[in-house]
Amino acid sequence: NPHQLAINQHTFPARSIARFADASGRIQLQMKADGSVRLAKPTDSIFCARRLWDHAAETLFCKRIEDDFQRLAGLVVGGLVTRFSQQMTHVISSFYALWLARAQIREQPEQDQVMPGIWPDEARTKDQEERLEKNGYAFSRGNVFPARMINGAAIRTLVGRHLRQINPTADWGMIHASGGEFVVPDWPFDHAFVPVSPTLALVNNSAHQRLDRAAMGLLNEQLRRASRRYFFARNFASCP
């Protein structure tokens, strides 16, 4: 990878997963297919698509949304933010929309697309293609656009679409777990749930509240059902 293009692309960011890690830097992960449980680092390949969208989508568009959210999440975890301004609400909604868009693209990625009616582009070497991609340019191979360029554009489109659905009524509240800890699904849950730490989550259209162990059990069961391939937590023994 001489041009240092983004290869392993998280659907849910490594920095968010790391907030759930134990003292060894790992989380517990359970596969839905067979119920097997193993330890995983935030960089584990199970959390990643492999070069499914283009470098600019990952390092410019996605990173900007992630960075805005991680700054806010740090303030929330530190107790420095207790109410969300309109701008903060947009940051949270954008992060949720990005998580959902990347999960959807990973589940059903686009393929290379023939663009009829356009003049075929010149032939390029792999090195030339990667230089263009590194500098934020799209390219075609003849009249075929590579799938990762199509997927990068699709992420931008999906984020905008999801934001239009969420933002008109977005009102994110903080949910603190007073009995147990949250599990984290591999698929965003119902336009409503953003996990932040083992005992803190942001929930749309909800007042700030604390959940006892019984309520946590009900919510965690919904989150497990929403998962498609796996879910994870800091320690499943602490998750009712």
Side-chain angles (χ1 to χ4, degrees), residues 179 181 212-224 239-240:
E181 296 181 356
D212 61 18
R213 191 168 185 84
M216 284 292 293
L218 293 173
L219 176 57
N220 277 342
E221 181 56 33
Q222 289 181 301
L223 296 172
R224 292 184 183 99
C239 302

Side-chain angles (χ1 to χ4, degrees), residues 48-219:
C48 301
R50 185 168 176 82
R51 207 178 178 195
L52 203 52
W53 45 88
D54 64 286
H55 185 77
E58 176 72 10
T59 62
L60 298 177
F61 180 77
C62 297
K63 187 176 186 301
R64 175 181 55 79
I65 294 174
E66 283 189 32
D67 287 350
D68 287 347
F69 177 78
Q70 299 300 344
R71 280 191 292 270
L72 178 58
L75 295 174
V76 172
V77 170
L80 300 177
V81 169
T82 57
R83 293 180 180 273
F84 298 127
S85 66
Q86 184 176 1
Q87 180 183 8
M88 291 174 179
T89 296
H90 181 73
V91 167
I92 300 167
S93 298
S94 297
F95 179 78
Y96 178 90
L98 178 64
W99 181 19
L100 179 55
R102 292 196 294 201
Q104 289 172 320
I105 292 297
R106 186 182 186 187
E107 183 92 350
Q108 292 185 310
E110 300 287 345
Q111 304 301 313
D112 290 355
Q113 290 190 11
V114 176
M115 307 298 286
I118 69 166
W119 189 263
D121 205 354
E122 63 185 87
R124 297 185 180 88
T125 66
K126 180 180 179 182
D127 181 73
Q128 288 172 325
E129 289 183 350
E130 291 188 351
R131 286 179 185 275
L132 286 172
E133 185 176 349
K134 178 72 173 184
N135 288 290
Y137 294 102
F139 59 85
S140 62
R141 297 174 180 134
N143 63 346
V144 177
F145 276 91
R148 64 180 179 274
M149 302 292 173
I150 305 298
N151 288 325
I155 285 178
R156 294 175 173 88
T157 299
L158 287 170
V159 167
R161 181 182 303 164
H162 297 325
L163 272 176
R164 287 191 293 274
Q165 296 172 338
I166 300 167
N167 259 351
T169 59
D171 183 18
W172 295 91
M174 299 180 198
I175 305 299
H176 293 269
S178 60
E181 296 181 356
F182 294 106
V183 300
V184 181
D186 65 353
W187 192 268
F189 174 65
D190 196 27
H191 280 186
F193 180 82
V194 175
V196 178
S197 78
T199 58
L200 174 64
L202 306 179
V203 179
N204 197 9
N205 296 318
S206 173
H208 294 350
Q209 58 182 296
R210 292 187 176 275
L211 299 184
D212 61 18
R213 191 168 185 84
M216 284 292 293
L218 293 173
L219 176 57

